[in-house]
Amino acid sequence: MHTIVKIKFKIKSMYRNHTCGELNLAAVNKEVTLAGWVQKVRKLGGGMNFVDLRDRYGITQLVFSKEADADLYEQSNKLGREYVLQVTGLVRERESKNANNPTGDIEIIVNKLVILNTSETPPFTIEDDTDGGDDLRMKYRYLDLRRNAVRRNLELRNRLTFETRRYLNERSFLEVETPVLVASTPEGARDFVVPSRMNPGEFYALPQSPQLFKQLLMVSGFDRYFQIVKCFRDEDLRADRQPEFTQIDCEMSFVRQEDILNMFEGLVKTLFKTEKNIDLPDFPRMPYSEAMKYYGSDKPDTRFDMKFVELKDLTTGKDFAVFDSAEYVGAICAKGAATYTRKQLDALTDFVKRPQIGAKGLVYVRYEADGTLKSSVDKFYDQNDLKKWSERCQASPGDLILILCGETEKAQKQLCELRLEVGEQLGLRDKNKFSCLWVVDFPLLEKDEELGRYFAKHHPFTSPKEEDIPLLDSDPGAVRANAYDMVINGVEVGGGSLRIYNSQLQKKMFMTLGFTEERAQEQFGFLMNAFKYGAPPHAGIAFGLDRLVSIFAGLDSIRDCIAFPKNNSGRDVMVDAPSKLDAVQLDELHLKIDETK
Amino acid sequence: MHTIVKIKFKIKSMYRNHTCGELNLAAVNKEVTLAGWVQKVRKLGGGMNFVDLRDRYGITQLVFSKEADADLYEQSNKLGREYVLQVTGLVRERESKNANNPTGDIEIIVNKLVILNTSETPPFTIEDDTDGGDDLRMKYRYLDLRRNAVRRNLELRNRLTFETRRYLNERSFLEVETPVLVASTPEGARDFVVPSRMNPGEFYALPQSPQLFKQLLMVSGFDRYFQIVKCFRDEDLRADRQPEFTQIDCEMSFVRQEDILNMFEGLVKTLFKTEKNIDLPDFPRMPYSEAMKYYGSDKPDTRFDMKFVELKDLTTGKDFAVFDSAEYVGAICAKGAATYTRKQLDALTDFVKRPQIGAKGLVYVRYEADGTLKSSVDKFYDQNDLKKWSERCQASPGDLILILCGETEKAQKQLCELRLEVGEQLGLRDKNKFSCLWVVDFPLLEKDEELGRYFAKHHPFTSPKEEDIPLLDSDPGAVRANAYDMVINGVEVGGGSLRIYNSQLQKKMFMTLGFTEERAQEQFGFLMNAFKYGAPPHAGIAFGLDRLVSIFAGLDSIRDCIAFPKNNSGRDVMVDAPSKLDAVQLDELHLKIDETK
């Protein structure tokens, strides 16, 4: 692996002059002192014990021989797993070398042993493939973190953040710390709040993002800002959500959309180059409408093609009521999947009919190797019809066409899930392949049909496309935003927008969102005020660091990119947080627990 | 100034192709586009307007001439301070150059003007010396941050943190994010707490430091950890305290004290070298006892000498009851201060008698230029006596000896204040001079006389000196700790300790501090548990970033090193935080405000 951060200095201290990861044949016959943990003790019998000594940097083999030193040998008999040792000894070339270990050519003939600490038997094995379940690993996270597999993710995270800072610093971005104790804004997700002892009855909030502060920094003329920063959201948790998460938060002044896309495309390309030595091609810009039309998702996984093909016009008028009555009939073509068995097709049908997806059924057309077409709707459509479908799908003999239908938006979402599932089954979602793009031109607003009002799709500071501003009054739902998401392998890793920088337009936006003037003033007055004193055109983006790292690490969950994550109930089971407070603490905060709820 | 971060890339966007800080004679006759704020409009009459256009990078002079373009000239007449402009024009050599401005050789003959935003008149002037008071500056912090004087501090902060990260990364330190939502520990300062909606009646706490987590990372074998991290303390605020503050938090395994002192002395030397091109000499290690004896402080300002001299033995038995009855008589010698007038000496006496300092009086001895000695206690002491005093003080003709007496510890503290005041008056506390040292061998415990029990001076995880461990039972107050502070110019910028890594010793420490076994288990059980699985010897340090930056910036307060500071009541007056919550929010948190208090 390509190393980003150059380690320039040897690890050396009064406890050791080498690490367990660096000795090789060049050191033979040198006396060295190492310190680390016992990974394994192998008692060979015949008066020889081998001990694998582990530290962050590697594993080195120690040799205790009865013949050489009976006392030491006796002591080594008592060593257990995870004991902490300091050893001094002579480096010797190994008889049977281990090519898989960088230190596998040598071993240490120990002549001095200090047991720095003993260890009880750990509740699970400290190996890449551990026998510990999730709950046990979380309770003993400090032992789980000893496993290479977990530690490497955090080393990766450190390299990615360091390189991000270098990239941005070299381009005149200033990292500015914004406050963690801020004001609560009831819009958006729920805030975590912090009672103020000095201001009884009042609360700070923890920031969901530094959005307002970074915009104020632009008003201040900071020009280019970034921050790698903890953010907080009090949401019901899912596997991939944490109550605290980290963003790479950025903002720039005097830029248009292409400026900011290029700047941050450059960042991600640099990370891939330095970390994985991959030269990514330029990222396509895909309008939101196109993403929905061809992938049924605003974060399409473009590692594989299999775009949606609309068949409505070709399927109508053949007495197949299901298609005839559907607003939308869409297909995907799975290359080479005509070999799918009846059982596999039934499984796919079950898959799309699961309540989480909610399709009524699945239609398939098999393009047999002999050129004939077989479908589950042969009753209604002849070879000629199917031929037309397959031509539009650009299908070849050996391919499988899968068709869903229904209300457009719903059917597209279902087809999206089907496409991802089939892509997965066909091995098209390779974790070592990376496909990046920008999705642009998002709608500005989203209608909550129940409440009958519009919400900002991104946030209320996102600017509408200039040519769409007149629609704000006549057809708000049609207004497109200057908003963009970066998508990698079907995951939204970052998103942002050009901001409104005119206080009149900002006011209009708040009104469109149903704010009264008083409420807008109360919550965002300082921002609208700030805009009165010369706000520059500005734009920004925020990346979810946890997700970005998990993509680089090839992990499905963000949890193992985080040193001390919370579980799905928002608990840290290791330190047992949250917990009850002393009555004194509650008193000082002028709070009472409401037991009636 | 020596620049740490190399800016490798030109600032260029679709709004501008140059900044306001970079054009010079080499650009003459080029057409350029700039964007920025109107710093000043000078109407010369005769159809010429000069406009100073400002951005983060500098100021460039724009010229609007009626002769060249009457329309543009007319528009320029309407420009006001802090308007945001985009201008295109031709670079021309100035007739009267301004050598104080990097762009002072040129000006721009504007041929295109876009007013990107207008501005109301700011509530104070955007100048280095502003007419805005503190309250106004804080309310309009976004305008205050436009001032070079404030922005430069934040640029400095960015450079220092970047260089800190580089230094530590090159030495294999891993930056690991520890959680912000942690468990409350009633020891130490007050915690800010965060009610958990998902766990009704329970609270997270915000960390006062990542102490426990970084020690767990050492148990995990992370070997070298750091983090630049926000910490929180709910204390009554002083001028130099903020409820949220930033630490450079570090921990290392397999090190002894000199390892860690050298590592972080190296960091601070590197920062001084890269930022100020100063080569600092090695930092002296001064035992706590010596610091108290010679400076009356555990954070002596060693930019100047003026060490304490004990005179008790020389002053006794001459019928001066004040000295005779005092446990301690101590002097400082102010070089060249014999010229102090009676009025100045009275002022110094008033200074030490202020209630914050609390001395009963001040005795002085003037070593006149002619060699005679004059004192305020001539009644009791003859020339011969005074001669002996002055010899011990190594005083010369022209010097002034100042003497305080009383109970040792109190008198030393008072003498410390006097020394700092006199040093200030004599110009010995130069902000451009830097004197760094380590204070070591702190006492492990501090007795709270009122409660009659011992508290950890540093924190309960600090290890006692091995040779002092037997004293833990017999004379706890005499036990010295493996603890150290870094002091620069009389300010404690960082501190740390070698940690206890043995669960038995840790348990004993908790008992000494009056914890019951249950309480220790409840609060720190996971740490003591962790120690059972092989904890390595480890040690750490934390620097107060805000203070460190303020020393580099030559500021007295940390406030202007922070983008959005809180005031002395812990309020952010700009966003108006803290504030009241909606009843719905309180309900969801199962909380009630206790109005009875």
Side-chain angles (χ1 to χ4, degrees):
Chain A
M1 195 186 291
H2 203 97
T3 315
I4 297 181
V5 183
K6 296 252 157 49
I7 304 297
K8 289 199 183 160
F9 298 88
K10 262 185 62 81
I11 306 280
K12 234 178 133 162
S13 77
M14 294 162 87
Y15 268 100
R16 59 181 171 186
N17 50 32
H18 288 279
T19 69
C20 297
E22 64 185 0
L23 293 171
N24 55 32
L25 289 176
V28 166
N29 289 328
K30 266 206 205 170
E31 189 172 81
V32 297
T33 302
L34 305 179
W37 284 262
V38 172
Q39 175 74 25
K40 211 190 273 175
V41 180
R42 272 164 299 149
K43 301 184 178 171
L44 292 200
M48 285 282 266
N49 286 338
F50 287 99
V51 174
D52 281 348
L53 192 68
R54 184 197 71 230
D55 65 12
R56 178 181 132 199
Y57 311 95
I59 286 183
T60 296
Q61 179 168 296
L62 311 178
V63 183
F64 294 85
S65 125
K66 190 170 183 173
E67 199 180 352
D69 191 326
D71 256 18
L72 266 184
Y73 172 76
E74 206 41 57
Q75 284 179 55
S76 77
N77 266 328
K78 291 171 196 149
L79 297 178
R81 280 204 288 144
E82 302 306 321
Y83 274 42
V84 188
L85 311 183
Q86 181 192 36
V87 296
T88 301
L90 228 53
V91 181
R92 183 172 77 177
E93 182 168 359
R94 270 204 223 178
E95 272 178 36
S96 61
K97 301 193 171 54
N98 177 354
N100 295 324
N101 183 351
T103 68
D105 285 352
I106 58 95
E107 59 196 4
I108 313 288
I109 313 303
V110 177
N111 57 41
K112 201 180 153 210
L113 167 69
V114 181
I115 297 176
L116 296 170
N117 228 332
T118 59
S119 174
E120 294 185 7
T121 304
F124 50 84
T125 56
I126 312 294
E127 310 269 359
D128 282 3
D129 282 317
T130 182
D131 55 359
D134 264 7
D135 290 351
L136 207 57
R137 286 177 52 210
M138 285 304 135
K139 185 164 160 58
Y140 294 91
R141 184 65 166 175
Y142 46 86
L143 296 179
D144 194 35
L145 287 169
R146 280 190 191 164
R147 295 169 54 231
N148 287 329
V150 182
R151 198 195 57 243
R152 274 195 203 116
N153 297 328
L154 296 171
E155 291 175 340
L156 167 68
R157 186 179 180 114
N158 174 66
R159 288 194 303 273
L160 291 177
T161 55
F162 187 79
E163 187 60 27
T164 296
R165 286 189 163 100
R166 169 146 57 196
Y167 178 92
L168 293 172
N169 260 299
E170 285 176 354
R171 284 156 183 83
S172 301
F173 283 80
L174 293 174
E175 184 159 26
V176 179
E177 294 175 58
T178 53
V180 177
L181 298 172
V182 302
S184 186
T185 54
E187 278 300 291
R190 243 186 244 98
D191 286 322
F192 282 106
V193 297
V194 181
S196 166
R197 180 181 55 86
M198 289 172 79
N199 304 278
E202 298 191 334
F203 294 73
Y204 302 98
L206 303 181
Q208 297 184 30
S209 91
Q211 184 64 32
L212 293 170
F213 289 99
K214 69 176 175 172
Q215 290 197 241
L216 290 176
L217 286 173
M218 294 303 107
V219 173
S220 300
F222 271 58
D223 207 82
R224 295 179 167 203
Y225 144 93
F226 83 103
Q227 192 183 185
I228 300 184
V229 61
K230 276 278 174 76
C231 300
F232 306 86
R233 244 171 244 180
D234 185 11
E235 285 176 343
D236 300 319
L237 301 173
R238 300 190 310 228
D240 215 26
R241 284 260 174 91
Q242 287 279 316
E244 52 180 297
F245 53 98
T246 305
Q247 290 196 341
I248 306 172
D249 190 49
C250 311
E251 198 82 7
M252 299 175 81
S253 288
F254 300 120
V255 288
R256 299 195 200 273
Q257 185 162 305
E258 273 303 306
D259 293 314
I260 196 157
L261 299 194
N262 288 329
M263 177 63 74
F264 290 96
E265 182 170 329
L267 168 63
V268 171
K269 282 178 176 172
T270 300
L271 295 180
F272 272 96
K273 179 65 183 170
T274 50
E275 184 60 34
K276 294 184 175 287
N277 203 20
I278 292 177
D279 289 288
L280 289 177
D282 289 344
F283 299 7
R285 276 74 168 141
M286 184 186 290
Y288 171 85
S289 57
E290 197 180 304
M292 296 311 291
K293 182 178 166 72
Y294 291 119
Y295 301 95
S297 166
D298 58 3
K299 39 178 200 273
D301 185 345
T302 51
R303 278 176 295 187
F304 63 107
D305 200 20
M306 214 187 281
K307 285 201 192 83
F308 295 2
V309 178
E310 288 177 25
L311 299 180
K312 175 69 184 166
D313 57 322
L314 297 183
T315 59
T316 303
K318 302 281 174 159
D319 296 331
F320 185 42
V322 177
F323 281 180
D324 284 358
S325 66
E327 184 187 8
Y328 176 90
V329 179
I332 52 174
C333 173
K335 290 278 159 200
T339 52
Y340 261 47
T341 61
R342 182 69 206 211
K343 200 172 155 196
Q344 283 174 297
L345 287 166
D346 285 348
L348 277 186
T349 307
D350 290 345
F351 173 82
V352 297
K353 285 167 96 171
R354 292 187 313 166
Q356 304 96 302
I357 300 185
K360 293 262 163 55
L362 173 67
V363 170
Y364 68 84
V365 181
R366 244 204 220 110
Y367 204 152
E368 304 289 5
D370 65 5
T372 59
L373 292 148
K374 286 230 175 74
S375 92
S376 52
V377 286
D378 282 346
K379 261 202 280 187
F380 305 98
Y381 302 98
D382 60 22
Q383 286 288 310
N384 198 27
D385 295 322
L386 299 179
K387 190 80 190 166
K388 280 186 198 148
W389 300 2
S390 70
E391 273 164 13
R392 185 171 288 174
C393 292
Q394 301 185 304
S396 317
D399 294 349
L400 176 70
I401 296 170
L402 299 166
I403 305 171
L404 292 177
C405 69
E407 187 267 300
T408 305
E409 211 175 298
K410 273 190 197 156
Q412 285 178 336
K413 276 191 187 152
Q414 294 158 358
L415 198 53
C416 168
E417 295 294 337
L418 179 64
R419 175 180 175 272
L420 292 175
E421 174 63 21
V422 173
E424 189 71 49
Q425 291 182 7
L426 297 178
L428 301 172
R429 303 180 73 192
D430 179 357
K431 276 183 184 159
N432 295 308
K433 193 181 155 186
F434 299 93
S435 179
C436 311
L437 74 154
W438 291 103
V439 176
V440 298
D441 301 350
F442 276 82
L444 183 69
L445 303 163
E446 218 168 13
K447 194 164 192 173
D448 184 314
E449 295 294 347
E450 241 172 86
L451 296 175
R453 74 176 184 90
Y454 284 99
F455 285 85
K457 187 157 173 87
H458 195 69
H459 54 54
F461 317 110
T462 295
S463 67
K465 292 225 172 268
E466 205 161 339
E467 61 269 34
D468 291 356
I469 290 179
L471 296 174
L472 268 177
D473 294 316
S474 58
D475 186 6
V479 177
R480 290 165 307 157
N482 293 310
Y484 33 81
D485 278 355
M486 187 190 284
V487 176
I488 305 181
N489 293 1
V491 175
E492 179 212 324
V493 295
S497 65
L498 306 198
R499 321 301 185 189
I500 297 170
Y501 59 98
N502 172 296
S503 49
Q504 285 310 311
L505 183 57
Q506 186 65 68
K507 214 180 257 184
K508 183 168 182 62
M509 183 69 181
F510 284 132
M511 298 308 120
T512 307
L513 295 172
F515 279 71
T516 61
E517 192 144 354
E518 292 70 40
R519 193 121 162 282
Q521 192 57 42
E522 194 188 302
Q523 279 176 39
F524 303 108
F526 62 96
L527 186 74
M528 286 191 290
N529 252 334
F531 281 180
K532 289 180 190 157
Y533 296 100
H538 59 289
I541 192 166
F543 290 89
L545 178 63
D546 307 299
R547 281 195 196 174
L548 196 63
V549 177
S550 71
I551 286 176
F552 274 83
L555 292 170
D556 292 320
S557 155
I558 59 171
R559 208 169 284 180
D560 271 342
C561 305
I562 298 171
F564 300 100
K566 308 256 185 307
N567 73 9
N568 281 345
S569 321
R571 294 202 75 84
D572 182 329
V573 292
M574 182 185 71
V575 303
D576 194 27
S579 57
K580 297 219 184 297
L581 287 192
D582 285 356
V584 179
Q585 274 177 294
L586 281 175
D587 273 1
E588 282 189 330
L589 295 170
H590 303 261
L591 286 183
K592 275 194 210 166
I593 307 294
D594 186 350
E595 309 277 8
T596 64
K597 307 272 158 169
Chain B
M1 193 186 290
H2 204 96
T3 316
I4 298 181
V5 182
K6 295 252 159 48
I7 305 297
K8 289 200 183 159
F9 299 88
K10 261 184 65 79
I11 306 281
K12 235 177 131 166
S13 77
M14 293 161 88
Y15 268 100
R16 58 181 171 184
N17 49 32
H18 288 278
T19 70
C20 296
E22 64 184 359
L23 294 171
N24 55 32
L25 290 176
V28 166
N29 288 328
K30 266 204 201 170
E31 189 173 81
V32 298
T33 301
L34 305 180
W37 285 261
V38 172
Q39 176 74 24
K40 212 190 274 174
V41 181
R42 272 164 300 149
K43 300 183 179 172
L44 291 200
M48 285 282 267
N49 287 338
F50 288 99
V51 174
D52 281 348
L53 192 69
R54 185 196 70 230
D55 66 13
R56 177 181 134 199
Y57 311 95
I59 286 184
T60 296
Q61 180 168 292
L62 312 177
V63 183
F64 293 86
S65 126
K66 189 169 182 174
E67 202 181 352
D69 191 325
D71 257 17
L72 265 184
Y73 173 76
E74 207 40 58
Q75 285 180 53
S76 77
N77 266 327
K78 290 172 198 147
L79 297 177
R81 281 202 287 144
E82 304 303 323
Y83 274 44
V84 189
L85 311 184
Q86 182 192 36
V87 295
T88 302
L90 227 55
V91 181
R92 183 173 78 177
E93 182 169 1
R94 270 204 225 177
E95 272 177 35
S96 61
K97 302 192 170 54
N98 176 354
N100 295 324
N101 183 350
T103 68
D105 286 351
I106 58 95
E107 58 196 4
I108 313 290
I109 313 302
V110 177
N111 56 42
K112 201 180 152 209
L113 168 68
V114 181
I115 297 177
L116 296 170
N117 228 331
T118 59
S119 173
E120 294 185 7
T121 305
F124 50 84
T125 56
I126 312 294
E127 311 269 0
D128 281 3
D129 282 318
T130 182
D131 56 359
D134 265 7
D135 290 351
L136 208 57
R137 286 177 50 209
M138 286 302 135
K139 186 165 160 59
Y140 294 91
R141 183 64 165 175
Y142 46 86
L143 296 179
D144 194 35
L145 287 169
R146 281 190 190 164
R147 297 167 53 229
N148 286 328
V150 182
R151 197 196 57 244
R152 276 196 202 114
N153 297 329
L154 296 170
E155 291 175 341
L156 167 68
R157 186 179 179 114
N158 174 66
R159 287 195 303 274
L160 291 177
T161 54
F162 187 79
E163 188 60 26
T164 297
R165 287 190 163 100
R166 170 146 58 195
Y167 178 93
L168 293 172
N169 260 298
E170 284 177 355
R171 284 157 183 84
S172 301
F173 283 79
L174 294 174
E175 184 159 26
V176 179
E177 294 175 59
T178 54
V180 177
L181 298 172
V182 302
S184 185
T185 54
E187 279 300 291
R190 241 185 244 100
D191 286 324
F192 282 106
V193 297
V194 181
S196 166
R197 180 181 55 87
M198 288 172 80
N199 304 278
E202 298 191 333
F203 293 76
Y204 302 99
L206 303 182
Q208 297 184 29
S209 91
Q211 184 63 34
L212 293 169
F213 290 98
K214 69 177 176 174
Q215 291 195 240
L216 290 176
L217 286 173
M218 293 305 107
V219 174
S220 299
F222 272 59
D223 207 79
R224 295 178 167 204
Y225 144 93
F226 83 103
Q227 190 183 186
I228 299 185
V229 61
K230 275 278 175 75
C231 300
F232 306 86
R233 244 170 244 180
D234 185 11
E235 285 177 345
D236 300 319
L237 301 173
R238 300 190 310 226
D240 215 26
R241 284 261 174 89
Q242 287 279 317
E244 52 179 297
F245 54 97
T246 305
Q247 291 197 341
I248 305 172
D249 190 50
C250 310
E251 198 81 7
M252 299 174 80
S253 288
F254 300 120
V255 288
R256 299 195 199 274
Q257 185 161 305
E258 274 302 309
D259 292 314
I260 196 159
L261 298 195
N262 288 329
M263 177 62 74
F264 290 95
E265 183 171 327
L267 168 63
V268 171
K269 281 178 175 173
T270 300
L271 294 180
F272 272 96
K273 180 64 183 170
T274 50
E275 184 61 33
K276 294 184 175 287
N277 203 21
I278 291 177
D279 289 289
L280 288 177
D282 289 345
F283 299 6
R285 276 74 166 143
M286 185 186 292
Y288 171 85
S289 56
E290 197 180 306
M292 297 311 290
K293 182 178 164 74
Y294 292 118
Y295 301 95
S297 166
D298 58 1
K299 40 177 197 271
D301 185 345
T302 51
R303 276 176 295 186
F304 61 107
D305 200 20
M306 215 188 281
K307 286 201 192 84
F308 295 1
V309 178
E310 288 178 24
L311 298 180
K312 175 69 184 167
D313 57 324
L314 298 183
T315 59
T316 302
K318 302 283 172 159
D319 295 333
F320 183 43
V322 176
F323 280 180
D324 283 359
S325 66
E327 185 187 5
Y328 175 88
V329 179
I332 53 174
C333 173
K335 290 279 159 199
T339 53
Y340 260 47
T341 62
R342 181 70 206 211
K343 202 173 152 194
Q344 283 174 298
L345 287 166
D346 284 349
L348 278 184
T349 306
D350 288 346
F351 174 81
V352 297
K353 285 167 96 173
R354 292 188 314 168
Q356 304 96 300
I357 299 187
K360 293 263 161 53
L362 174 66
V363 169
Y364 67 83
V365 181
R366 242 202 221 113
Y367 204 153
E368 304 288 4
D370 63 5
T372 59
L373 293 148
K374 285 228 175 79
S375 90
S376 51
V377 286
D378 282 347
K379 261 203 279 186
F380 305 97
Y381 302 98
D382 61 20
Q383 285 288 309
N384 198 27
D385 294 323
L386 300 179
K387 189 76 190 170
K388 281 186 199 151
W389 301 5
S390 70
E391 272 165 14
R392 185 173 287 175
C393 292
Q394 301 184 306
S396 317
D399 293 351
L400 175 70
I401 297 170
L402 297 167
I403 305 171
L404 292 177
C405 68
E407 188 266 299
T408 306
E409 211 175 297
K410 274 190 196 157
Q412 284 177 336
K413 276 189 186 153
Q414 294 159 357
L415 198 54
C416 168
E417 296 294 336
L418 178 64
R419 175 179 174 274
L420 293 175
E421 173 64 21
V422 172
E424 188 72 50
Q425 291 182 7
L426 297 177
L428 300 172
R429 303 182 71 191
D430 179 357
K431 278 182 182 161
N432 295 309
K433 194 182 155 184
F434 299 94
S435 178
C436 311
L437 74 155
W438 291 103
V439 176
V440 299
D441 300 350
F442 276 81
L444 182 70
L445 303 164
E446 217 168 14
K447 193 162 192 175
D448 183 313
E449 296 295 346
E450 241 172 88
L451 296 175
R453 74 177 185 88
Y454 284 99
F455 284 87
K457 187 156 173 88
H458 194 69
H459 54 53
F461 317 110
T462 294
S463 67
K465 292 224 172 271
E466 206 160 339
E467 60 269 34
D468 291 357
I469 289 180
L471 296 175
L472 268 178
D473 294 315
S474 57
D475 184 6
V479 177
R480 289 165 308 155
N482 293 311
Y484 34 81
D485 279 355
M486 186 190 285
V487 176
I488 305 181
N489 293 1
V491 175
E492 179 212 322
V493 295
S497 64
L498 305 198
R499 321 300 186 191
I500 297 169
Y501 60 98
N502 173 296
S503 49
Q504 285 312 310
L505 184 56
Q506 185 65 67
K507 214 178 255 182
K508 182 166 182 63
M509 184 67 181
F510 283 132
M511 299 307 122
T512 307
L513 295 172
F515 280 71
T516 60
E517 192 143 354
E518 292 70 38
R519 194 121 160 283
Q521 192 56 42
E522 194 187 304
Q523 279 176 40
F524 303 109
F526 62 97
L527 185 74
M528 287 191 290
N529 252 334
F531 281 1
K532 288 181 190 155
Y533 295 101
H538 59 291
I541 191 166
F543 289 89
L545 177 64
D546 306 299
R547 281 195 196 174
L548 196 62
V549 177
S550 70
I551 286 176
F552 273 83
L555 293 170
D556 292 319
S557 156
I558 59 171
R559 209 170 283 181
D560 271 343
C561 305
I562 298 171
F564 299 100
K566 307 256 185 310
N567 74 8
N568 281 345
S569 320
R571 294 201 77 82
D572 182 328
V573 292
M574 182 185 72
V575 303
D576 194 27
S579 58
K580 297 220 182 297
L581 287 191
D582 285 357
V584 178
Q585 273 177 294
L586 281 175
D587 273 1
E588 283 189 331
L589 296 170
H590 303 262
L591 286 183
K592 274 194 209 166
I593 307 295
D594 187 350
E595 310 276 7
T596 63
K597 305 273 159 171

